[in-house]
Amino acid sequence: MTAKISTLQQWMLGITCALSMSSAMSHDMVPGKKQSAPILIKGATLHTVSNGVLNNSDILLKDGKIAAIGKQLSQPSNAQVINGQGKHVYPGLISTVSQLGLREIESVRATVDITEVGEDNPHLLAHVAYNPDSEIIPTIRANGITHVQVTPSGYMLGGQSSVINLDAWNIDDGLVKSAVGVHLFWPSKPGYWVPKKRLPEALKSYQKRLDRLTDYFAQSKRYATAYNADKTIEQDIRWHAMLGLWSKEKTLFVHADAINEIEQALRFNRTHDINMVIVGGRDAWIAKEQIAAQQVPVIYTHAFGIPARGDEDIDQAFKTPSQLKDAGVTVVIGYESAWDSRSLAFAAGMAAKYGLGKKAALEAITLTPAKLLGVDKQLGSLDVGKSASLIITNGDVMDYQTHRVQQMFIDGRKVDLNNRHRQLYEKYQQKVAIK
């Protein structure tokens, strides 16, 4: 005989399971302590990004900032000295449009918090759902990423992204910049995958979504006009969150891949005159002149992509960043995911190999995203006065074979680079072969 479980019991069981799962998926690496003494890295190769590569040079970190850069810097009496001979120093890498901390196990719904019900959620802040104890975070840091743009998903207006550092006890400790911009997921036109008999209805639904999008922004613009004229009007949280778009204090991140989506987004931008960035950009190479003419940056997320059409070059995805740059488009290399964003540096390396060049490729994952996100005064390059957020590697950070990250500092704090992947590797290295 099976006993019946009450609704309350079911609810309590669900809460217990969720808490158990959350605990099981929490990493146990302790955030670094605040920098208490100067750190001097001597004789390293410094990839400053902003001022080229400085060979056999020193860099001094003090009070969480870069205090000096040069050759044979004087050593403070209480400084920790790191021998940088044969090592490379880079600014911490920045992963844009990331769902790190929002997505743990894709097949387990309870661990995925990337979207909200409905299509008009411009007021939602992705970082509110961010989990600083995600088991994935240490594996991402191990490949040189110090900061991420935590980004929501959605069906139209998905919410707003924020910049977070990856060594923090909680979101208050980790938040660098809140509400960077609003994310718009451009409606996709029905394609060949839609059965012929369902195509008319699918096209009707698609047009309805485009009309709703037009209406959303019309309402938002009217609200902005009214609010600027009278600050005492009743506030609508959705349209109030979009005020920064019209004043150009915020960015509209438009997620669009297909050429028709990108061209529609560009026409939309001409109509509204806002700061827009294309995210995804699979077919951006086809419209590169139009994109360049409107000075719209692209966060390209298909660096390891495959051809979208039968007649495309097999290496088109690899060449796209170079083609965009040559056309005058500002290019950032990003990842719209969580766990596999650890390959960010290698994606940049692939683009470098296919025409982008190492200098531009490194900029595309450091200084250029920092500028795009409005945090370039703190991050993105090795400059005096900026945050002491950097990595020390064995070799080229964009190379699979030599990149190994040996040390990481975020705001001068030494970061524990241990992680689940490394633990499993070390465990099975000790396994006795079965005879």
Side-chain angles (χ1 to χ4, degrees), residues 79-386:
Q80 173 193 350
V81 178
I82 297 174
N83 183 2
Q85 289 291 333
K87 307 299 181 184
H88 298 254
V89 179
Y90 295 87
L93 310 185
I94 301 172
S95 180
T96 49
V97 292
S98 172
Q99 292 166 357
L100 185 64
L102 306 181
R103 184 199 295 269
E104 196 74 15
I105 303 174
E106 296 190 16
S107 60
V108 181
R109 181 64 186 88
T111 72
V112 179
D113 196 3
I114 61 175
T115 190
E116 189 53 87
V117 176
E119 295 185 339
D120 52 346
N121 297 306
H123 55 292
L124 298 182
L125 296 171
H127 74 255
V128 172
Y130 175 75
N131 174 23
D133 290 325
S134 168
E135 188 77 75
I136 301 174
I137 290 175
T139 71
I140 302 300
R141 295 190 306 217
N143 273 9
I145 298 172
T146 60
H147 293 77
V148 296
Q149 177 196 11
V150 176
T151 303
S153 186
Y155 303 102
M156 192 83 80
L157 292 170
Q160 301 188 54
S161 57
S162 299
V163 181
I164 295 174
N165 83 59
L166 296 185
D167 185 56
W169 286 102
N170 51 50
I171 188 59
D172 294 327
D173 293 339
L175 191 62
V176 176
K177 184 177 181 181
S178 175
V180 172
V182 177
H183 289 258
L184 167 60
F185 296 82
W186 200 270
S188 297
K189 187 176 182 179
Y192 64 88
W193 56 87
V194 179
K196 190 174 181 180
K197 64 179 182 180
R198 293 185 57 192
L199 187 58
E201 185 62 30
L203 287 172
K204 183 178 178 181
S205 176
Y206 166 67
Q207 187 58 52
K208 184 177 179 180
R209 293 190 71 196
L210 288 177
D211 293 341
R212 288 187 67 183
L213 177 58
T214 300
D215 184 54
Y216 286 159
F217 276 80
Q219 290 185 62
S220 172
K221 184 63 181 292
R222 288 195 295 269
Y223 177 87
T225 301
Y227 181 79
N228 289 332
D230 180 7
K231 299 293 191 297
T232 65
I233 66 170
E234 183 177 354
Q235 291 189 10
D236 184 305
I237 60 172
R238 299 167 303 168
W239 314 139
H240 201 79
M242 297 174 69
L243 285 175
L245 295 179
W246 304 109
S247 64
K248 297 191 175 183
E249 295 172 317
K250 289 183 180 179
T251 299
L252 180 66
F253 295 91
V254 179
H255 296 246
D257 277 322
I259 183 60
N260 68 299
E261 298 170 3
I262 292 172
E263 289 180 336
Q264 287 173 347
L266 291 174
R267 288 194 293 270
F268 180 86
N269 189 49
R270 286 196 296 270
T271 300
H272 294 291
D273 186 29
I274 51 187
N275 288 334
M276 189 179 88
V277 173
I278 292 173
V279 177
R282 185 197 66 208
D283 290 345
W285 62 278
I286 302 175
K288 56 183 181 292
E289 289 83 7
Q290 296 169 256
I291 297 171
Q294 290 193 37
Q295 298 183 321
V296 173
V298 174
I299 298 178
Y300 182 69
T301 64
H302 298 275
F304 292 129
I306 60 176
R309 303 166 185 84
D311 59 350
E312 278 186 10
D313 289 346
I314 194 169
D315 56 359
Q316 181 56 59
F318 312 148
K319 298 188 299 185
T320 294
S322 173
Q323 293 174 341
L324 292 175
K325 179 179 179 294
D326 290 345
V329 178
T330 298
V331 181
V332 169
I333 295 176
Y335 255 94
E336 284 188 280
S337 186
W339 66 268
D340 55 345
S341 60
R342 61 176 180 240
S343 296
L344 177 67
F346 309 139
M350 183 69 77
K353 178 70 174 178
Y354 280 82
L356 188 60
K358 284 190 175 183
K359 181 177 182 295
L362 182 59
E363 288 179 2
I365 54 175
T366 53
L367 187 55
T368 305
K371 290 178 178 177
L372 207 63
L373 300 174
V375 293
D376 54 301
K377 290 184 178 180
Q378 306 139 269
L379 306 171
S381 62
L382 301 179
D383 286 301
V384 174
K386 283 194 173 185

Side-chain angles (χ1 to χ4, degrees), residues 34-41 59-68 74-80 384-390 409 411-413:
K34 183 177 180 181
Q35 184 181 4
S36 58
I39 299 170
L40 179 62
I41 305 170
I59 181 168
L60 178 65
L61 317 181
K62 189 175 181 181
D63 298 326
K65 303 285 186 181
I66 297 175
S74 58
Q75 178 181 326
S77 58
N78 60 336
Q80 173 193 350
V384 174
K386 283 194 173 185
S387 167
S389 296
L390 51 83
F409 296 89
D411 295 331
R413 305 186 308 273

